[in-house]
Amino acid sequence: MRLFVNPFAPKGRHPANAAAAANSAEAEAERHALRERVKQAVRQVLAPGAEAVISVSELACGEDGCPDVETVIGIHEAGVPARRLRLHMPLAEVGLADIAAAADDTCCTAPQEPTA
């Protein structure tokens, strides 16, 4: 798999040697494996359709009282509103119970559509 090269990145900041480049590639491979593990866990816990697209991101959280890092999971299915789960923990710490709890919280706190 080829990594994306950002054409807007500052020039001259490439790893100085092959060892640094290898470490960078290893770190990216580890992050990819973590994202894939979480995607499989989402499929196991929430059982979205086979065609569902699941996105997993680890982001810096800038909100007051929020941990430094949060994991955001997006679940996109055709004909269904997209769901977003926010877990206030690093990607490496996300487990099945965390996903289930976040899904329950999202389910129960989502705005309800007005009834006629």
Side-chain angles (χ1 to χ4, degrees):
M1 180 166 103
R2 205 172 118 213
L3 296 176
F4 171 76
V5 176
N6 183 354
F8 301 108
K11 303 296 182 212
R13 292 194 180 197
H14 299 291
N17 58 39
N23 287 341
S24 177
E26 287 175 14
E28 180 57 32
E30 183 178 333
R31 285 190 299 273
H32 178 74
L34 286 171
R35 287 190 300 268
E36 289 302 314
R37 179 187 62 80
V38 170
K39 287 179 184 182
Q40 290 303 318
V42 168
R43 289 193 185 282
Q44 182 179 347
V45 172
L46 303 179
E51 298 297 317
V53 175
I54 300 171
S55 62
V56 178
S57 301
E58 185 177 64
L59 306 171
C61 184
E63 297 176 9
D64 291 336
C66 181
D68 293 338
V69 177
E70 72 177 347
T71 299
V72 178
I73 301 170
I75 305 161
H76 311 274
E77 296 182 79
V80 178
R83 292 186 284 173
R84 183 181 68 192
L85 308 178
R86 292 177 61 185
L87 295 95
H88 297 287
M89 63 184 62
L91 183 59
E93 295 177 10
V94 174
L96 296 173
D98 301 314
I99 294 168
D104 287 343
D105 288 347
T106 301
C107 167
C108 300
T109 59
Q112 302 294 319
E113 292 186 25
T115 56

XYZ file of all heavy atoms in Angstrom:
842
model
N 0.840 -1.163 0.000
C 0.000 0.000 0.000
C 0.893 1.237 0.000
O 1.828 1.335 0.758
C -0.889 -0.018 1.240
C -1.796 1.151 1.302
S -3.077 0.914 2.523
C -2.431 1.943 3.811
N 0.589 2.182 -0.860
C 1.374 3.400 -0.970
C 0.756 4.478 -0.101
O -0.443 4.669 -0.090
C 1.380 3.837 -2.422
C 2.577 4.668 -2.764
C 2.639 4.917 -4.236
N 2.544 6.368 -4.364
C 1.977 6.991 -5.345
N 1.425 6.331 -6.310
N 1.936 8.293 -5.388
N 1.579 5.193 0.621
C 1.096 6.261 1.466
C 0.858 7.524 0.658
O 1.542 7.792 -0.316
C 2.102 6.552 2.581
C 2.336 5.421 3.569
C 3.427 5.804 4.545
C 1.062 5.099 4.302
N -0.110 8.306 1.072
C -0.424 9.572 0.435
C 0.710 10.558 0.680
O 1.221 10.677 1.785
C -1.723 10.117 1.011
C -2.039 11.520 0.584
C -2.520 11.767 -0.688
C -1.851 12.582 1.439
C -2.810 13.053 -1.090
C -2.135 13.872 1.047
C -2.622 14.109 -0.217
N 1.112 11.281 -0.345
C 2.124 12.322 -0.215
C 1.422 13.663 -0.354
O 0.824 13.952 -1.390
C 3.232 12.173 -1.283
C 4.219 13.310 -1.184
C 3.914 10.834 -1.137
N 1.475 14.464 0.681
C 0.815 15.760 0.692
C 1.617 16.750 -0.147
O 2.746 17.096 0.202
C 0.690 16.258 2.130
C -0.044 17.574 2.221
O -0.376 18.191 1.223
N -0.301 17.995 3.447
N 1.041 17.248 -1.241
C 1.789 18.186 -2.087
C 1.991 19.541 -1.418
O 2.818 20.332 -1.855
C 0.911 18.309 -3.334
C -0.455 17.951 -2.880
C -0.278 16.946 -1.781
N 1.246 19.827 -0.348
C 1.356 21.103 0.336
C 2.264 21.047 1.572
O 2.425 22.037 2.269
C -0.029 21.603 0.747
C -0.944 21.763 -0.423
C -1.987 20.880 -0.625
C -0.752 22.768 -1.359
C -2.834 21.008 -1.709
C -1.589 22.913 -2.444
C -2.635 22.037 -2.632
N 2.822 19.882 1.852
C 3.700 19.737 3.010
C 4.971 20.554 2.812
O 5.455 20.707 1.692
C 4.053 18.272 3.212
N 5.507 21.112 3.896
C 6.768 21.861 3.776
C 7.862 20.972 3.206
O 7.961 19.789 3.545
C 7.087 22.265 5.211
C 5.808 22.140 5.956
C 5.007 21.095 5.247
N 8.660 21.532 2.347
C 9.738 20.764 1.719
C 10.907 20.598 2.677
O 11.111 21.408 3.568
C 10.229 21.466 0.448
C 9.138 21.698 -0.573
C 8.578 20.415 -1.098
C 7.516 20.702 -2.148
N 6.473 19.749 -2.191
N 11.663 19.535 2.496
C 12.862 19.314 3.280
C 12.617 18.714 4.646
O 13.502 18.686 5.480
N 11.420 18.218 4.911
C 11.131 17.626 6.218
C 10.944 16.120 6.120
O 10.234 15.525 6.903
C 9.880 18.247 6.815
C 10.098 19.684 7.175
C 8.999 20.161 8.040
N 9.249 21.559 8.367
C 8.671 22.182 9.345
N 7.815 21.560 10.093
N 8.944 23.437 9.575
N 11.562 15.527 5.172
C 11.484 14.086 5.023
C 12.420 13.435 6.032
O 13.395 14.039 6.472
C 11.861 13.663 3.594
C 10.944 14.248 2.570
N 9.632 13.866 2.456
C 11.143 15.207 1.641
C 9.063 14.563 1.490
N 9.955 15.382 0.977
N 12.153 12.194 6.432
C 13.040 11.525 7.372
C 14.481 11.552 6.883
O 14.757 11.367 5.700
C 12.509 10.098 7.427
C 11.081 10.219 7.023
C 11.033 11.364 6.033
N 15.395 11.799 7.808
C 16.801 11.963 7.450
C 17.453 10.665 7.015
O 18.431 10.682 6.286
C 17.562 12.563 8.629
N 16.914 9.551 7.457
C 17.537 8.284 7.086
C 16.491 7.199 6.897
O 15.314 7.386 7.196
C 18.580 7.876 8.135
C 17.969 7.745 9.521
O 16.862 7.252 9.662
N 18.700 8.180 10.530
N 16.935 6.077 6.412
C 16.019 4.968 6.128
C 15.387 4.412 7.402
O 14.238 3.983 7.388
C 16.760 3.869 5.382
N 16.106 4.441 8.516
C 15.561 3.924 9.775
C 14.377 4.767 10.235
O 13.361 4.241 10.679
C 16.641 3.893 10.846
N 14.492 6.085 10.112
C 13.384 6.962 10.496
C 12.184 6.738 9.587
O 11.041 6.725 10.044
C 13.829 8.418 10.438
N 12.434 6.533 8.302
C 11.347 6.257 7.365
C 10.670 4.935 7.701
O 9.447 4.818 7.643
C 11.872 6.241 5.936
N 11.451 3.933 8.066
C 10.890 2.630 8.425
C 10.045 2.752 9.688
O 8.970 2.163 9.778
C 12.002 1.611 8.615
N 10.517 3.526 10.685
C 9.744 3.719 11.911
C 8.430 4.418 11.621
O 7.400 4.086 12.196
C 10.557 4.521 12.935
C 11.666 3.700 13.544
O 11.645 2.475 13.502
N 12.648 4.386 14.098
N 8.459 5.399 10.725
C 7.256 6.109 10.344
C 6.264 5.166 9.662
O 5.071 5.198 9.949
C 7.604 7.269 9.419
O 6.437 7.918 8.984
N 6.764 4.324 8.780
C 5.906 3.357 8.088
C 5.343 2.342 9.077
O 4.172 1.955 8.981
C 6.690 2.656 6.989
N 6.134 1.927 10.041
C 5.662 0.982 11.059
C 4.571 1.616 11.915
O 3.574 0.973 12.234
C 6.813 0.519 11.943
C 7.773 -0.430 11.273
C 8.969 -0.764 12.147
O 8.934 -0.467 13.362
O 9.929 -1.326 11.613
N 4.746 2.881 12.284
C 3.749 3.581 13.090
C 2.442 3.714 12.324
O 1.361 3.513 12.891
C 4.271 4.948 13.508
N 2.531 4.032 11.044
C 1.321 4.147 10.223
C 0.641 2.796 10.078
O -0.589 2.700 10.141
C 1.645 4.732 8.851
C 0.435 4.873 7.950
C -0.689 5.719 8.528
O -0.408 6.659 9.286
O -1.860 5.409 8.228
N 1.412 1.741 9.906
C 0.838 0.391 9.809
C 0.138 0.015 11.109
O -0.937 -0.599 11.085
C 1.928 -0.622 9.467
N 0.717 0.397 12.240
C 0.095 0.112 13.539
C -1.223 0.876 13.689
O -2.229 0.318 14.137
C 1.047 0.480 14.664
C 0.500 0.159 16.036
C 1.482 0.494 17.141
O 2.707 0.477 16.898
O 1.004 0.771 18.257
N -1.249 2.163 13.300
C -2.486 2.949 13.370
C -3.553 2.360 12.449
O -4.734 2.303 12.807
C -2.210 4.407 13.009
C -1.506 5.170 14.114
C -1.464 6.672 13.832
N -0.742 7.011 12.626
C 0.571 7.220 12.569
N 1.305 7.118 13.646
N 1.143 7.545 11.423
N -3.145 1.915 11.269
C -4.085 1.292 10.336
C -4.684 0.022 10.952
O -5.890 -0.202 10.870
C -3.383 0.974 9.011
C -4.268 0.290 8.024
N -5.259 0.946 7.334
C -4.337 -1.008 7.633
C -5.888 0.087 6.552
N -5.351 -1.100 6.709
N -3.841 -0.796 11.581
C -4.320 -2.027 12.221
C -5.302 -1.711 13.351
O -6.318 -2.402 13.514
C -3.141 -2.847 12.742
N -5.030 -0.668 14.117
C -5.942 -0.268 15.189
C -7.289 0.168 14.624
O -8.347 -0.211 15.140
C -5.335 0.873 16.014
C -4.210 0.501 16.958
C -3.572 1.765 17.542
C -4.707 -0.408 18.068
N -7.262 0.966 13.543
C -8.515 1.407 12.921
C -9.308 0.215 12.398
O -10.526 0.155 12.561
C -8.233 2.412 11.798
C -7.814 3.781 12.305
C -7.775 4.818 11.188
N -6.852 4.476 10.117
C -5.588 4.870 10.065
N -5.082 5.614 11.023
N -4.824 4.540 9.052
N -8.635 -0.736 11.773
C -9.324 -1.924 11.247
C -9.922 -2.753 12.383
O -11.023 -3.285 12.257
C -8.371 -2.770 10.407
C -8.006 -2.122 9.082
C -9.217 -1.831 8.212
O -10.094 -2.718 8.071
O -9.304 -0.709 7.673
N -9.203 -2.852 13.508
C -9.717 -3.598 14.666
C -10.997 -2.949 15.179
O -11.988 -3.636 15.451
C -8.664 -3.641 15.775
C -9.130 -4.382 17.040
C -8.141 -4.277 18.171
N -7.891 -2.920 18.633
C -8.695 -2.236 19.451
N -9.814 -2.776 19.896
N -8.370 -1.017 19.841
N -11.022 -1.624 15.261
C -12.204 -0.918 15.743
C -13.354 -1.063 14.745
O -14.508 -1.259 15.139
C -11.887 0.560 16.051
C -13.155 1.358 16.325
C -10.929 0.642 17.230
N -13.065 -0.995 13.454
C -14.119 -1.185 12.446
C -14.763 -2.559 12.587
O -15.990 -2.694 12.516
C -13.553 -1.020 11.034
C -13.233 0.403 10.666
C -12.653 0.471 9.265
C -12.235 1.876 8.906
N -11.704 1.961 7.535
N -13.948 -3.594 12.783
C -14.486 -4.948 12.972
C -15.318 -5.031 14.251
O -16.358 -5.691 14.287
C -13.359 -5.981 12.986
C -12.698 -6.174 11.641
C -13.700 -6.565 10.562
O -14.587 -7.380 10.767
N -13.574 -5.942 9.394
N -14.875 -4.347 15.295
C -15.628 -4.335 16.555
C -16.980 -3.652 16.363
O -17.998 -4.117 16.889
C -14.817 -3.640 17.641
N -17.005 -2.561 15.591
C -18.268 -1.872 15.310
C -19.208 -2.812 14.569
O -20.398 -2.909 14.888
C -18.024 -0.576 14.507
C -19.327 -0.011 13.947
C -17.321 0.455 15.367
N -18.693 -3.527 13.588
C -19.529 -4.472 12.844
C -20.056 -5.576 13.763
O -21.198 -5.999 13.636
C -18.758 -5.071 11.675
C -18.513 -4.066 10.564
C -18.043 -4.715 9.278
N -17.719 -3.712 8.283
C -18.611 -3.053 7.550
N -19.888 -3.291 7.715
N -18.224 -2.157 6.670
N -19.238 -6.012 14.686
C -19.644 -7.070 15.613
C -20.711 -6.571 16.599
O -21.699 -7.250 16.840
C -18.426 -7.571 16.382
C -18.718 -8.697 17.344
C -17.456 -9.171 18.056
O -16.347 -8.830 17.668
N -17.646 -9.944 19.093
N -20.525 -5.377 17.144
C -21.428 -4.864 18.178
C -22.718 -4.305 17.587
O -23.807 -4.593 18.083
C -20.719 -3.772 19.015
C -21.686 -3.090 19.964
C -19.566 -4.377 19.792
N -22.619 -3.517 16.533
C -23.782 -2.805 16.001
C -24.425 -3.472 14.797
O -25.532 -3.111 14.424
C -23.397 -1.366 15.655
C -22.801 -0.551 16.815
C -22.440 0.836 16.340
C -23.760 -0.503 17.978
N -23.744 -4.405 14.173
C -24.236 -5.154 13.020
C -24.860 -4.267 11.944
O -26.015 -4.469 11.565
C -25.230 -6.228 13.478
N -24.108 -3.283 11.430
C -24.655 -2.501 10.318
C -24.702 -3.378 9.061
O -24.128 -4.472 9.038
C -23.645 -1.367 10.159
C -22.363 -1.938 10.649
C -22.744 -2.901 11.748
N -25.362 -2.908 8.031
C -25.445 -3.667 6.799
C -24.079 -3.922 6.184
O -23.100 -3.228 6.486
N -24.020 -4.915 5.323
C -22.747 -5.298 4.703
C -22.148 -4.164 3.880
O -20.931 -4.073 3.738
C -22.948 -6.528 3.829
N -22.988 -3.296 3.343
C -22.515 -2.192 2.507
C -22.204 -0.932 3.313
O -21.828 0.083 2.744
C -23.557 -1.864 1.432
C -23.825 -3.008 0.467
C -22.599 -3.369 -0.341
O -21.898 -2.455 -0.817
O -22.339 -4.569 -0.496
N -22.364 -0.979 4.613
C -22.115 0.194 5.457
C -20.643 0.587 5.390
O -19.759 -0.264 5.355
C -22.506 -0.094 6.897
N -20.409 1.883 5.386
C -19.052 2.420 5.413
C -18.798 2.910 6.838
O -19.577 3.687 7.382
C -18.886 3.580 4.414
C -17.514 4.208 4.542
C -19.137 3.094 3.000
N -17.708 2.439 7.420
C -17.354 2.814 8.784
C -16.042 3.579 8.733
O -15.060 3.095 8.176
C -17.223 1.574 9.683
C -18.549 0.829 9.720
C -16.770 1.974 11.090
C -18.483 -0.516 10.401
N -16.050 4.778 9.305
C -14.826 5.572 9.370
C -14.403 5.693 10.825
O -15.237 5.837 11.710
C -15.027 6.949 8.742
O -16.009 7.668 9.456
N -13.111 5.617 11.054
C -12.569 5.707 12.408
C -11.439 6.725 12.389
O -10.525 6.626 11.575
C -12.039 4.336 12.889
C -11.428 4.445 14.264
C -13.145 3.291 12.870
N -11.517 7.700 13.289
C -10.493 8.741 13.382
C -10.128 8.975 14.837
O -10.980 8.919 15.706
C -11.006 10.056 12.800
O -11.371 9.909 11.456
N -8.864 9.251 15.053
C -8.401 9.656 16.377
C -8.059 11.134 16.269
O -7.222 11.524 15.454
C -7.183 8.829 16.783
C -6.717 9.103 18.195
C -5.559 8.226 18.596
O -4.474 8.362 17.977
O -5.725 7.414 19.504
N -8.723 11.950 17.078
C -8.603 13.395 16.958
C -8.205 14.029 18.275
O -8.518 13.501 19.345
C -9.954 13.993 16.533
C -10.600 13.412 15.278
C -12.002 13.946 15.133
C -9.765 13.739 14.068
N -7.569 15.178 18.181
C -7.318 15.982 19.370
C -8.635 16.644 19.749
O -9.355 17.151 18.894
C -6.257 17.032 19.080
N -8.971 16.595 21.023
C -10.226 17.169 21.488
C -9.938 18.514 22.133
O -9.189 18.597 23.107
C -10.899 16.226 22.485
S -12.512 16.804 23.010
N -10.525 19.573 21.615
C -10.264 20.915 22.107
C -11.332 21.448 23.041
O -11.258 22.588 23.476
N -12.353 20.647 23.355
C -13.426 21.110 24.226
C -12.973 21.123 25.681
O -12.139 20.316 26.094
C -14.645 20.202 24.075
C -15.239 20.212 22.692
C -16.386 19.226 22.540
O -16.831 18.663 23.559
O -16.826 19.019 21.411
N -13.534 22.032 26.475
C -13.221 22.086 27.902
C -13.676 20.798 28.583
O -14.768 20.290 28.316
C -13.924 23.278 28.559
C -13.343 24.606 28.109
O -12.166 24.607 27.691
O -14.043 25.620 28.188
N -12.839 20.268 29.450
C -13.170 19.065 30.194
C -13.064 17.788 29.382
O -13.435 16.716 29.851
N -12.586 17.887 28.180
C -12.462 16.727 27.294
C -11.031 16.197 27.378
O -10.092 16.976 27.472
C -12.784 17.170 25.863
S -12.713 15.894 24.626
N -10.854 14.873 27.347
C -9.480 14.345 27.306
C -8.741 14.868 26.079
O -9.361 15.364 25.133
C -9.686 12.832 27.202
C -11.068 12.593 27.690
C -11.850 13.827 27.357
N -7.433 14.758 26.100
C -6.624 15.287 25.001
C -6.942 14.639 23.659
O -6.806 15.261 22.614
C -5.134 15.100 25.300
C -4.690 15.954 26.474
O -5.368 16.952 26.773
O -3.667 15.618 27.087
N -7.322 13.366 23.689
C -7.565 12.612 22.454
C -8.930 11.946 22.537
O -9.333 11.465 23.588
C -6.468 11.533 22.262
C -6.743 10.698 21.028
C -5.102 12.169 22.172
N -9.639 11.935 21.410
C -10.894 11.199 21.338
C -10.930 10.402 20.048
O -10.253 10.727 19.078
C -12.097 12.136 21.422
C -12.333 12.988 20.204
C -13.585 13.845 20.300
O -14.411 13.622 21.195
O -13.725 14.720 19.461
N -11.714 9.340 20.063
C -11.906 8.515 18.879
C -13.315 8.782 18.366
O -14.279 8.727 19.129
C -11.733 7.023 19.222
O -10.404 6.826 19.717
C -11.949 6.154 18.000
N -13.425 9.088 17.081
C -14.717 9.357 16.463
C -14.976 8.269 15.426
O -14.136 8.003 14.570
C -14.756 10.755 15.797
C -16.095 10.998 15.130
C -14.454 11.826 16.825
N -16.137 7.644 15.537
C -16.530 6.561 14.624
C -17.760 7.023 13.864
O -18.758 7.420 14.462
C -16.846 5.270 15.402
C -15.633 4.831 16.217
C -17.295 4.166 14.444
C -15.919 3.714 17.200
N -17.684 6.994 12.537
C -18.825 7.329 11.689
C -19.356 6.070 11.027
O -18.577 5.241 10.549
N -20.677 5.913 11.029
C -21.309 4.743 10.407
C -22.282 5.284 9.368
O -23.239 5.981 9.698
C -22.036 3.881 11.455
C -21.056 3.493 12.560
C -22.658 2.649 10.795
C -21.714 3.058 13.832
N -22.017 4.970 8.113
C -22.791 5.503 6.992
C -23.432 4.352 6.234
O -22.742 3.494 5.693
C -21.891 6.306 6.055
C -21.040 7.308 6.788
N -21.492 8.560 7.095
C -19.793 7.223 7.298
C -20.550 9.213 7.748
N -19.503 8.418 7.886
N -24.768 4.343 6.224
C -25.520 3.321 5.494
C -26.498 4.004 4.550
O -27.056 5.060 4.886
C -26.307 2.437 6.464
C -25.449 1.630 7.409
C -26.287 0.735 8.302
O -26.710 -0.329 7.817
O -26.518 1.115 9.454
N -26.735 3.400 3.407
C -27.667 3.952 2.436
C -29.077 3.978 3.025
O -29.530 3.003 3.620
C -27.650 3.120 1.157
N -29.745 5.109 2.885
C -31.128 5.224 3.329
C -31.307 5.402 4.830
O -32.435 5.423 5.315
N -30.225 5.524 5.563
C -30.291 5.675 7.025
C -29.437 6.892 7.390
O -28.343 7.051 6.842
C -29.732 4.411 7.728
C -29.740 4.571 9.231
C -30.508 3.185 7.304
N -29.918 7.726 8.302
C -29.065 8.856 8.709
C -27.734 8.359 9.277
O -27.681 7.344 9.968
C -29.894 9.552 9.803
C -31.298 9.114 9.567
C -31.218 7.743 8.966
N -26.682 9.071 8.962
C -25.351 8.695 9.447
C -25.319 8.796 10.967
O -25.955 9.658 11.567
C -24.293 9.596 8.834
N -24.583 7.873 11.589
C -24.408 7.892 13.042
C -22.961 8.249 13.341
O -22.047 7.859 12.612
C -24.714 6.518 13.645
C -26.168 6.152 13.542
C -26.440 4.865 14.284
N -25.961 3.734 13.494
C -25.930 2.490 13.922
N -26.323 2.195 15.137
N -25.497 1.520 13.151
N -22.768 8.975 14.430
C -21.422 9.319 14.857
C -21.295 8.987 16.343
O -22.099 9.422 17.154
C -21.136 10.797 14.633
C -19.710 11.172 15.001
C -19.448 12.621 14.795
N -20.248 13.352 15.787
C -20.440 14.653 15.759
N -19.929 15.364 14.787
N -21.157 15.253 16.688
N -20.267 8.211 16.652
C -19.979 7.863 18.039
C -18.706 8.572 18.448
O -17.711 8.525 17.731
C -19.786 6.351 18.187
C -20.883 5.446 17.632
C -20.497 3.988 17.832
C -22.211 5.739 18.281
N -18.729 9.238 19.591
C -17.542 9.920 20.114
C -17.141 9.219 21.407
O -17.910 9.176 22.354
C -17.842 11.387 20.381
C -18.093 12.168 19.110
C -18.455 13.582 19.395
N -17.367 14.248 20.105
C -17.451 15.475 20.574
N -18.566 16.159 20.448
N -16.426 16.017 21.202
N -15.943 8.690 21.412
C -15.410 8.023 22.596
C -14.235 8.845 23.101
O -13.287 9.085 22.353
C -14.960 6.598 22.252
C -16.096 5.671 21.833
C -16.234 5.646 20.337
C -15.850 4.309 22.372
N -14.290 9.262 24.332
C -13.255 10.129 24.894
C -12.096 9.299 25.413
O -11.820 9.243 26.611
C -13.852 11.023 25.984
C -14.894 11.938 25.451
N -14.587 13.041 24.677
C -16.244 11.913 25.525
C -15.694 13.650 24.328
N -16.717 12.991 24.823
N -11.427 8.637 24.462
C -10.267 7.802 24.766
C -9.470 7.594 23.492
O -10.004 7.737 22.389
C -10.708 6.457 25.339
C -11.535 5.620 24.379
S -12.144 4.083 25.079
C -13.178 4.664 26.390
N -8.193 7.249 23.626
C -7.376 6.970 22.439
C -7.882 5.734 21.701
O -8.502 4.839 22.297
C -5.978 6.726 23.007
C -5.992 7.292 24.377
C -7.406 7.218 24.854
N -7.598 5.676 20.442
C -7.994 4.576 19.579
C -7.546 3.222 20.130
O -8.301 2.248 20.105
C -7.407 4.807 18.185
C -7.733 3.837 17.077
C -9.226 3.774 16.835
C -7.017 4.250 15.806
N -6.348 3.161 20.678
C -5.794 1.895 21.173
C -6.570 1.343 22.368
O -6.511 0.148 22.638
C -4.326 2.074 21.550
N -7.322 2.194 23.072
C -8.047 1.747 24.260
C -9.501 1.369 23.987
O -10.193 0.893 24.882
C -8.005 2.847 25.328
C -6.615 3.133 25.840
C -6.594 4.284 26.839
O -7.670 4.750 27.280
O -5.479 4.727 27.174
N -10.002 1.588 22.780
C -11.405 1.338 22.456
C -11.675 -0.164 22.426
O -10.952 -0.927 21.787
C -11.779 1.978 21.098
C -13.190 1.599 20.682
C -11.617 3.480 21.170
N -12.728 -0.572 23.131
C -13.121 -1.978 23.169
C -14.592 -2.156 22.818
O -15.316 -1.179 22.590
N -15.042 -3.396 22.803
C -16.425 -3.708 22.443
C -17.417 -3.007 23.377
O -18.416 -2.446 22.924
C -16.656 -5.220 22.488
C -15.857 -6.062 21.491
C -16.068 -7.538 21.767
C -16.241 -5.724 20.070
N -17.153 -3.057 24.682
C -18.066 -2.442 25.651
C -18.139 -0.931 25.456
O -19.215 -0.334 25.618
C -17.624 -2.778 27.073
N -17.032 -0.306 25.102
C -17.008 1.142 24.873
C -17.881 1.512 23.675
O -18.623 2.497 23.714
C -15.576 1.627 24.635
C -14.658 1.310 25.797
O -15.063 1.546 26.956
O -13.542 0.812 25.542
N -17.798 0.721 22.623
C -18.603 0.975 21.426
C -20.079 0.804 21.741
O -20.910 1.626 21.362
C -18.154 0.052 20.272
C -16.730 0.421 19.840
C -19.128 0.146 19.093
C -16.081 -0.589 18.930
N -20.415 -0.271 22.459
C -21.806 -0.516 22.822
C -22.352 0.612 23.696
O -23.470 1.087 23.480
C -21.936 -1.857 23.539
N -21.565 1.062 24.671
C -22.006 2.146 25.549
C -22.193 3.446 24.767
O -23.173 4.171 24.980
C -21.005 2.341 26.680
N -21.276 3.754 23.869
C -21.386 4.972 23.066
C -22.611 4.908 22.156
O -23.305 5.905 21.962
C -20.124 5.185 22.240
N -22.902 3.735 21.606
C -24.072 3.574 20.742
C -25.351 3.748 21.549
O -26.303 4.384 21.081
C -24.048 2.208 20.070
N -25.384 3.223 22.770
C -26.556 3.387 23.626
C -26.766 4.854 23.981
O -27.883 5.353 23.957
C -26.418 2.559 24.906
C -26.599 1.067 24.652
O -27.136 0.693 23.583
O -26.192 0.283 25.520
N -25.683 5.554 24.313
C -25.776 6.969 24.656
C -26.278 7.780 23.469
O -27.122 8.649 23.614
C -24.417 7.522 25.097
C -24.012 7.019 26.471
O -24.869 6.460 27.186
O -22.823 7.170 26.816
N -25.759 7.481 22.276
C -26.156 8.200 21.073
C -27.623 7.931 20.758
O -28.381 8.829 20.409
C -25.288 7.782 19.874
O -23.945 8.054 20.202
C -25.663 8.542 18.628
N -28.039 6.687 20.928
C -29.410 6.273 20.651
C -30.393 7.027 21.529
O -31.416 7.520 21.075
C -29.558 4.777 20.876
S -31.255 4.198 20.917
N -30.059 7.143 22.805
C -31.010 7.695 23.766
C -30.960 9.212 23.858
O -31.891 9.813 24.380
C -30.746 7.085 25.144
S -30.939 5.303 25.129
N -29.882 9.830 23.384
C -29.784 11.276 23.495
C -29.976 11.989 22.152
O -29.925 13.202 22.104
C -28.405 11.687 24.064
O -27.381 11.204 23.202
C -28.216 11.147 25.467
N -30.187 11.214 21.094
C -30.377 11.834 19.772
C -31.692 12.594 19.758
O -32.675 12.181 20.376
C -30.397 10.753 18.690
N -31.720 13.737 19.071
C -32.977 14.494 19.003
C -34.055 13.661 18.327
O -33.816 13.018 17.313
C -32.615 15.734 18.181
C -31.255 15.509 17.618
C -30.652 14.348 18.326
N -35.218 13.673 18.890
C -36.344 12.919 18.355
C -37.085 13.771 17.331
O -37.218 14.993 17.498
C -37.303 12.516 19.479
C -36.646 11.682 20.569
C -36.210 10.332 20.049
O -36.917 9.699 19.296
N -35.028 9.886 20.457
N -37.599 13.125 16.300
C -38.388 13.844 15.309
C -39.759 14.138 15.906
O -40.315 13.310 16.624
C -38.529 13.010 14.041
C -37.221 12.843 13.288
C -37.422 12.144 11.962
O -38.538 12.221 11.415
O -36.469 11.529 11.484
N -40.300 15.318 15.628
C -41.630 15.655 16.177
C -42.695 14.734 15.606
O -42.634 14.336 14.447
C -41.840 17.101 15.758
C -40.848 17.361 14.670
C -39.746 16.372 14.810
N -43.630 14.366 16.445
C -44.736 13.525 15.982
C -45.908 14.415 15.614
O -46.109 15.488 16.184
C -45.166 12.528 17.074
O -45.489 13.264 18.258
C -44.052 11.542 17.365
N -46.685 13.977 14.653
C -47.800 14.796 14.159
C -49.020 14.664 15.014
O -49.311 13.840 15.753
C -48.133 14.407 12.739
